[in-house]
């Protein structure tokens, strides 16, 4: 019942606060050096924090904001 709904809401809140690992930050720095815009990088960070993979985040960022 309501306990499950509460747990789901709590998980969503925790997901929003999720930090990227040092390894992922390093991978993003290399990616930035390949000529991607600040908008592209910001969108990728948001998508990664939502739990998407690097390739998924990259493809979605390209479609949403471009290179």
């Amino acid at each position: 019942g309501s306990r499950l709904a509460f747990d789901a809401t709590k998980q969503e809140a925790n997901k929003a606060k999720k930090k990227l690992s040092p390894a992922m930050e390093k991978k993003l720095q290399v990616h930035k050096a390949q000529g991607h815009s600040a908008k592209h990088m910001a969108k990728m960070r948001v998508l990664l924090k939502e739990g998407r993979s690097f390739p998924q985040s990259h493809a979605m960022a390209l479609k949403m904001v471009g290179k």
Side-chain angles (χ1 to χ4, degrees), residues 27-67:
K27 193 169 182 178
L28 283 167
Q29 288 304 316
V30 171
H31 191 63
K32 183 178 179 180
Q34 293 170 351
H36 290 291
S37 69
K39 279 186 178 181
H40 175 91
M41 297 308 299
K43 179 54 80 174
M44 275 197 72
R45 277 192 164 79
V46 169
L47 295 167
L48 287 165
K49 286 178 183 177
E50 287 176 0
R52 300 190 196 282
S53 71
F54 197 92
Q56 284 175 326
S57 298
H58 177 65
M60 289 176 75
L62 282 174
K63 283 184 182 177
M64 293 171 153
V65 297
K67 187 173 180 176

Side-chain angles (χ1 to χ4, degrees), residues 3-21:
R3 177 76 184 154
L4 288 174
F6 174 76
D7 285 343
T9 305
K10 197 172 176 182
Q11 284 175 344
E12 288 302 314
N14 286 341
K15 195 181 275 188
K17 293 180 197 172
K18 187 175 178 183
K19 291 185 178 175
L20 298 176
S21 70

